[in-house]
Amino acid sequence: MLLSEITDRPVMDTEAAQSIGQVDSLVITPRPAHITALRLKKTNGGGTLLTWQKVHAIGPDAIMARAHAQEGADEDITEQAAACRNLLGRRILSERGTEIGLLQDIDFDSESGQVQGLLTSSGTLPGQKLIGIGSYAVVVQDS
């Protein structure tokens, strides 16, 4: 699944059967590259982050989250979430400092949250090459 496919998709609380927001972007942890949280926009109470553990299912029309999904989500991953703000369009650099291109999309497994690939302006990089995410660039292993 691609980040672009779930952007703006509503996130529903399974217990209250109401929307708690819409997907804005992903919070990713490198090594191994996986989704830590979904960043939400237009939230109804709670925080703006939904930890991956509280994502119940990603359906074609909505993302289902466990009851009280947003409680305490912001506390542990605030710094990481700040670095992952506005990932798409960010520069991709090799660990030697060579610019590889721009991040156009992120391919991930919707069950496990594992990042499978980074779609760039110059091709696709395997997710396991991701070694760092900063406010300036995404850093990947040299080939």
Side-chain angles (χ1 to χ4, degrees):
M1 180 159 282
L2 299 174
L3 168 58
S4 61
E5 294 174 333
I6 65 165
T7 299
D8 294 326
R9 193 171 293 181
V11 179
M12 304 294 293
D13 183 316
T14 56
E15 186 176 287
Q18 69 179 13
S19 174
I20 58 173
Q22 293 175 298
V23 175
D24 183 38
S25 66
L26 304 174
V27 178
I28 297 173
T29 300
R31 293 196 171 187
H34 67 279
I35 299 170
T36 305
L38 301 178
R39 180 184 298 281
L40 305 181
K41 59 184 172 183
K42 297 183 181 177
T43 59
N44 294 326
T48 58
L49 300 174
L50 174 66
T51 60
W52 185 256
Q53 294 82 4
K54 294 185 179 181
V55 172
H56 178 69
I58 298 178
D61 299 315
I63 295 172
M64 304 306 289
R66 292 183 177 84
H68 310 293
Q70 290 174 289
E71 291 179 2
D74 292 348
E75 299 163 5
D76 299 332
I77 55 175
T78 303
E79 187 175 320
Q80 181 181 357
C84 290
R85 185 175 223 92
N86 302 318
L87 281 173
L88 299 186
R90 192 164 303 169
R91 296 174 75 183
I92 298 178
L93 301 174
S94 74
E95 58 190 325
R96 293 185 182 168
T98 304
E99 186 163 342
I100 295 172
L102 300 176
L103 184 60
Q104 294 181 327
D105 217 335
I106 299 168
D107 184 16
F108 66 95
D109 181 283
S110 62
E111 295 290 323
S112 69
Q114 178 183 359
V115 175
Q116 296 176 323
L118 304 173
L119 286 68
T120 76
S121 54
S122 60
T124 301
L125 299 170
Q128 66 263 25
K129 286 195 172 260
L130 179 65
I131 58 175
I133 299 173
S135 60
Y136 177 73
V138 173
V139 179
V140 296
Q141 289 176 328
D142 287 315
S143 296

